[in-house]
Amino acid sequence: MTYKRPPGPIAFWFGFPILGELLKDALGTVQRFHEQYGDVVYFQIANETFYYLFSPELIREALLDHADDFIRHQRTIDVFTQVYGANVLTTEGDAWKRQRRILMPGFLPKKVAGYLDLMVAASTDNLSASFRQAKGETLLVDVESFTRKITVDVILRVLFSHKASEEDSINALEATLTLEHQGMREFYWPFTPPDWVPYPGRTEKLNAKATLQNLISGQIQLRRDRPQEHADKIDYLSMLLAAKDEEAQGTSSAATLTVEEIRDNCMVIFAAGHDTTATVLTWWIALMAEHRDVADKVRQEIAEVVGDRTPTADDLSKLTLLNATLKEAMRLYPPAPLLFARRVISGFQLGEWHIPKGANVNIPVWHVHHDARWYADPEKFLPERFLAGAPDIPRGAYMPFGTGPRVCIGQHFATMEMALIAALLLREFDFAFSEAQGMPKPKVDMVLKPEKAVMVNFIRR
């Protein structure tokens, strides 16, 4: 049988020039492919074939109708598994379904609302420690460093009811950064050598991994050694220790998580739970500094809905403009712009194209989010896109948390955390760029990072 193949760039020299272009400027290269070849683009690098999908309709058909024909990209999973173990991010098949069933109750909206007091305590403690200027005084802030620190404190508090010491927070943050940088390096290797073989970054990676494992294992051991002292805790670790898989009865599947599974899931929740949130907040603060008129309108909404009270979960859901600004920030600067990849395990037909077994299917979220067919003036910051009465956004054209069965398990958690921190910040500060600073260009790292440090004046109100 002859299969019709989508158009795409010719793979001269085994496709390595294409790889070089992607490494140099991933966003620009993929955009050029889309403009030249259309909504489905094919190319080959060495013995690997790649299909990029730019159409929301085809994306949904692939990820929903053909969900069982995919696994996660194997090299990505190998890298993540070596660092974070066998968890809900890295497992596949029945193992993944079991872990997701056990973990999902802890991320339902009602359960997430129960973590709000922990989020509030961590956020207010961090703001008090980070900002001591009087009303009207200005502090120039490295925004990415600030958002990373506050989200690390929040995730440690929600995971363990643990108020992070300065040492814990710094060590955890530095370890996460080390693992991120090493992970991005190893993605482009054909394989990672065993731990006993010297390779670039090995020592730093193993030390960073041990730092996070020791922090998390210590908290787990405390609960196991003195369960009565922690019986009233409502944090995420308590949920993991008590969680059961109701579908496991009468099967060979374990109904509860092992200690190793609890540790590995805490590891990935810690890493993913603060990094993507910190990245979104970094871009959002920069956008608020650039669009001070919008920030004033959001600030007025906060005053009307919340006033001087501590925000409740119900309050946060009513801050429609605030949430719209966060959604628009994630549209313009999606935290995972290109790392949304699947490996085909069973070939299938997608529109007029055949997607063969073994192919890599990539969803370029950045480019779908910036497509003028789905968003008028796509490069402009227009939060009203997400308010009542706005034109409908096609399903599959907005994917900051992914889509399909493996949509981000923590999206409700992240949404509430970001809204809380954003509301607390806007109530306390005006944001302004200095004359020399403006919106930085993005670069693709483990998540979408600013190309240079985002420096913003925080002016105490």
Side-chain angles (χ1 to χ4, degrees):
M1 182 181 294
T2 301
Y3 295 121
K4 191 175 180 182
R5 177 180 291 169
I10 298 173
F12 294 113
W13 296 102
F14 305 103
F16 288 111
I18 297 174
L19 177 61
E21 291 180 54
L22 289 168
L23 291 174
K24 184 178 179 180
D25 178 17
L27 296 179
T29 300
V30 174
Q31 180 63 31
R32 179 168 57 81
F33 289 169
H34 183 208
E35 292 170 355
Q36 288 183 312
Y37 304 110
D39 278 341
V40 183
V41 176
Y42 165 87
F43 58 88
Q44 185 168 352
I45 299 175
N47 63 339
E48 295 283 353
T49 57
F50 297 86
Y51 293 75
Y52 275 68
L53 310 181
F54 296 87
S55 159
E57 183 179 355
L58 291 178
I59 288 169
R60 285 184 58 79
E61 181 181 343
L63 296 182
L64 296 177
D65 297 350
H66 297 283
D68 291 338
D69 295 325
F70 291 108
I71 58 172
R72 304 290 292 278
H73 187 270
Q74 192 58 50
R75 182 64 194 137
T76 303
I77 295 308
D78 288 346
V79 171
F80 279 135
T81 301
Q82 288 188 26
V83 174
Y84 302 117
N87 53 58
V88 73
L89 175 68
T90 60
T91 51
E92 291 287 350
D94 290 341
W96 168 73
K97 291 177 182 178
R98 168 182 166 271
Q99 290 208 29
R100 189 169 177 105
R101 282 196 304 268
I102 295 175
L103 267 65
M104 195 63 210
F107 281 111
L108 294 175
K110 185 176 180 180
K111 186 68 175 180
V112 169
Y115 304 141
L116 184 62
D117 288 345
L118 296 169
M119 292 184 186
V120 168
S123 300
T124 53
D125 286 352
N126 191 282
L127 291 176
S128 297
S130 300
F131 302 101
R132 302 182 185 277
Q133 72 262 42
K135 288 185 179 180
E137 288 186 351
T138 298
L139 181 67
L140 185 62
V141 175
D142 181 331
V143 176
E144 189 175 7
S145 294
F146 164 69
T147 58
R148 277 186 168 277
K149 186 175 186 305
I150 194 170
T151 53
V152 162
D153 289 350
V154 168
I155 200 70
L156 285 174
R157 196 79 63 104
V158 172
L159 277 173
F160 310 126
S161 301
H162 175 61
K163 182 178 180 180
S165 66
E166 187 73 16
E167 182 180 9
D168 276 350
S169 184
I170 291 173
N171 289 342
L173 187 52
E174 289 180 348
T176 305
L177 287 170
T178 297
L179 293 174
E180 280 183 10
H181 293 320
Q182 183 65 17
M184 280 304 296
R185 171 192 276 177
E186 292 183 21
F187 280 150
Y188 298 102
W189 297 357
F191 67 96
T192 300
D195 287 344
W196 54 268
V197 176
Y199 58 85
R202 180 196 66 161
T203 300
E204 295 84 354
K205 169 184 168 181
L206 295 179
N207 289 341
K209 179 179 176 181
T211 295
L212 290 185
Q213 285 187 335
N214 290 340
L215 173 64
I216 291 167
S217 296
Q219 292 296 319
I220 295 172
Q221 195 60 45
L222 280 175
R223 302 294 174 93
R224 293 170 66 85
D225 290 345
R226 299 193 292 273
Q228 296 304 317
E229 293 181 20
H230 303 277
D232 60 343
K233 295 286 178 65
I234 58 169
D235 53 36
Y236 198 74
L237 178 56
S238 294
M239 188 284 296
L240 289 177
L241 289 165
K244 291 186 177 181
D245 180 8
E246 300 301 331
E247 295 187 26
Q249 188 173 1
T251 72
S252 60
S253 178
T256 58
L257 297 172
T258 66
V259 173
E260 290 75 19
E261 286 175 325
I262 292 172
R263 181 202 64 201
D264 291 347
N265 277 289
C266 285
M267 285 274 287
V268 78
I269 290 165
F270 174 82
H274 91 270
D275 194 27
T276 52
T277 305
T279 298
V280 173
L281 286 170
T282 296
W283 290 111
W284 177 83
I285 290 171
L287 287 164
M288 291 295 97
E290 185 176 54
H291 300 274
R292 300 183 72 184
D293 57 330
V294 176
D296 286 339
K297 292 176 183 177
V298 177
R299 198 173 285 113
Q300 181 61 37
E301 178 183 64
I302 295 168
E304 293 172 358
V305 174
V306 183
D308 295 328
R309 295 182 292 104
T310 299
T312 65
D314 188 51
D315 289 333
L316 296 174
S317 69
K318 293 177 181 176
L319 296 173
T320 55
L321 181 56
L322 171 65
N323 284 296
T325 63
L326 288 164
K327 289 176 181 177
E328 178 70 342
M330 289 189 284
R331 183 193 69 81
L332 281 167
Y333 301 100
L338 287 174
L339 291 178
F340 194 172
R342 299 287 187 269
R343 171 81 76 180
V344 178
I345 57 174
S346 180
F348 60 91
Q349 195 73 16
L350 187 66
E352 61 182 306
W353 315 112
H354 178 76
I355 312 298
K357 178 181 179 180
N360 299 282
V361 172
N362 293 65
I363 312 300
V365 176
W366 167 278
H367 303 83
V368 177
H369 281 195
H370 287 251
D371 194 320
R373 293 176 296 175
W374 329 125
Y375 301 98
D377 297 317
E379 303 307 318
K380 289 186 178 180
F381 176 68
L382 299 173
E384 54 267 32
R385 302 180 202 276
F386 296 96
L387 295 177
D392 290 339
I393 297 169
R395 298 177 70 187
Y398 184 68
M399 302 174 287
F401 296 105
T403 191
R406 297 198 75 135
V407 66
C408 176
I409 194 173
Q411 61 178 313
H412 297 301
F413 181 100
T415 298
M416 189 167 76
E417 179 187 0
M418 290 187 294
L420 171 67
I421 295 172
L424 294 176
L425 284 171
L426 274 182
R427 197 161 63 178
E428 293 291 327
F429 301 100
D430 288 320
F431 303 127
F433 282 129
S434 64
E435 290 184 7
Q437 175 81 59
M439 288 299 296
K441 292 182 179 180
K443 67 175 182 179
V444 179
D445 205 330
M446 188 72 76
V447 292
L448 190 71
K449 300 286 186 64
E451 197 172 62
K452 61 181 181 179
V454 181
M455 306 301 296
V456 171
N457 289 313
F458 279 46
I459 308 154
R460 174 75 74 173
R461 293 178 59 78

